[in-house]
């Protein structure tokens, strides 16, 4: 007679298996560090390089594989790896494609942590970087050397919103064989299709539109080229950058509505940006879909849609303290970084600190959420009283 197993053992090694074939609109959430192999032969034959099977939670579960495939589709690419943040998608691309003695070129208006990564971390690994003016493809062409192995493109620039000549930047980079990485966070796979333009890698902060809730940090690196994907996947595995199943599930839940949300953010942002254009306090509204914004014609040549982001440059008579007072007086707009969530956000910047060639001035970068447009306009209007009040008290 076999000795009965203890209850604790019984609960861990319970014999019931749910039947296969369960189907529901939402994919399941699989959580695992350990993945169980059928036998030692299966364990020895494991292959982390493909999605044919599972090896360890860090290298993929049904939930993360599902999200990778959907992001590849969103991006118009073929292979995607997930990483724990948008910034990590930039880091993974740099680490996988660059080595000692190589150089990377980054637009001077790029998402600042990408520049900081190059300045403080890549430099310690013997990887050089220079900043280029994204609005001058000829200048980029003249900067390329045999050491330039990677050129980053961001369209539009994160805060100053200039829309570059993406096809010509790609052509310039390609002329010497440099790889092109594109930060596709703004376009989100909807406003433009970077692989159709010839980029090698698309890095995407899923934190923004794919998640859409302001409650998840995640990034994705997508390619069409299997060799390149293998390099990225190998670096990803060795760096240990997995994502949590619940976070992957949150993005999977939000993806079906991304096109609707993107269009709603776009519509609201353009209406509010046009309202700002009529305000006497404003020197310029930077929104690539508005005429007069830097690179507007280049945006129009590539895109029909735009993200819900724009910046307002205040008239030179207003100081940073006055603009801060305006931002502090906003009630519905909250002060905070990131974008693409339901809550509208505002962040003031001193232009000289972020892009000196853009000239002096104070700007506020707005991320338009999903509140009613009229309420947001009324909020901005009442907060403008604080701009004037600060001027009187100054
Ligand atoms: C253009 C761009 N790329 C990448 C990132 C990084 O995303 P995350 O916040 O997920 O690291 C951001 C974040 O604001 C961004 O604006």
């Amino acid at each position: 007679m076999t000795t009965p197993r203890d209850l604790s053992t019984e609960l861990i090694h319970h014999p019931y298996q749910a039947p296969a074939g369960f189907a529901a609109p939402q994919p399941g959430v699989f959580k695992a560090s350990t993945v169980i192999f059928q036998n030692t032969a299966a364990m020895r034959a494991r292959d982390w390089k493909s999605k044919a099977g599972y090896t360890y939670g860090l290298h993929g579960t049904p939930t993360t594989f599902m999200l990778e495939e959907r992001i590849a589709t969103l991006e118009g690419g073929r292979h995607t790896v997930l990483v724990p943040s948008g910034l990590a998608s930039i880091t993974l691309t740099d680490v996988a494609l660059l080595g000692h003695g190589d150089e990377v070129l980054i637009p001077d208006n790029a998402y600042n942590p990408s520049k900081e990564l190059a300045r403080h971390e890549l430099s310690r690994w013997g990887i050089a970087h220079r900043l280029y003016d994204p609005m001058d493809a000829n200048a980029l062409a003249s900067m390329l050397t045999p050491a330039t192995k990677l050129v980053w493109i961001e369209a539009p620039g994160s805060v100053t919103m200039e829309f570059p000549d993406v096809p010509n930047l790609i052509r310039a980079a390609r002329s010497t064989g440099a790889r092109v990485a594109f930060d596709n966070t703004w376009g989100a796979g909807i406003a433009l299709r970077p692989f159709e333009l010839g980029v090698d890698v698309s890095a995407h902060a899923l934190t923004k539109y794919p998640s859409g809730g302001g409650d998840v940090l995640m990034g994705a690196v997508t390619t069409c080229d299997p060799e390149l994907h293998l390099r990225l996947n190998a670096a990803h595995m060795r760096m240990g950058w997995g994502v949590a199943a619940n976070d992957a599930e949150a993005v999977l839940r939000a993806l079906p509505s991304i096109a609707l949300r993107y269009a709603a953010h776009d519509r609201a942002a353009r209406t509010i940006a046009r309202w700002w254009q009529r305000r006497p306090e404003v020197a310029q509204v930077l929104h690539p879909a508005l005429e007069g914004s830097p690179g507007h014609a280049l945006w129009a040549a590539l895109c029909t849609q735009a993200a819900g982001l724009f910046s307002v440059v205040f008239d030179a008579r207003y100081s940073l303290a006055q603009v801060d007072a305006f931002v502090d007086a906003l009630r519905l707009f909250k002060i905070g970084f990131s974008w693409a969530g339901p809550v509208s956000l505002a962040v003031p910047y001193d232009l000289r600190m972020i892009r000196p060639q853009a000239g002096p001035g104070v700007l506020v970068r707005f991320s338009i959420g999903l509140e009613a447009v009229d309420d947001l306009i009324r909020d901005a209007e009442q907060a403008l009283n604080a701009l004037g009040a600060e001027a009187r008290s100054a």
Side-chain angles (χ1 to χ4, degrees), residues 85-87 111 154 158 183 185 205 207-208 217 339:
S85 70
L87 180 54
Y111 171 62
E154 194 177 312
S158 245
D183 185 325
T185 306
T207 307
K208 316 296 187 212
L217 284 157
W339 31 286

Side-chain angles (χ1 to χ4, degrees), residues 35-48 54-55:
V35 167
I36 295 170
F37 296 99
Q38 283 292 312
N39 50 41
T40 50
M43 189 268 284
R44 294 218 165 82
R46 73 189 178 280
D47 171 19
W48 56 265
Y54 304 99
T55 56

Side-chain angles (χ1 to χ4, degrees), residues 84-90 110-114 154 156-158 183-186 203-208 216-219 309 337-339 365:
S85 70
L87 180 54
S89 70
I90 297 171
Y111 171 62
N112 195 48
S114 171
E154 194 177 312
S158 245
D183 185 325
N184 199 24
T185 306
W186 178 92
H204 192 160
L206 306 185
T207 307
K208 316 296 187 212
V216 174
L217 284 157
M218 200 180 294
L309 268 191
F337 296 107
S338 203
W339 31 286
R365 205 266 309 265

Side-chain angles (χ1 to χ4, degrees), residues 21 28 43 125 162 168 205 218 236 241 271 281 306 349 380-381:
M43 189 268 284
W125 304 336
E162 306 90 345
N168 265 329
M218 200 180 294
H236 177 262
W241 282 330
T271 306
E281 299 87 352
Y349 292 89
E381 202 161 26

Side-chain angles (χ1 to χ4, degrees), residues 41 64 138 191 212 217 245 247 267 286 324 328 349 362 365 372 382:
T64 57
N138 291 333
L217 284 157
D247 288 348
R267 210 167 35 244
L286 304 170
D324 281 356
D328 283 333
Y349 292 89
V362 180
R365 205 266 309 265
Q382 66 76 27

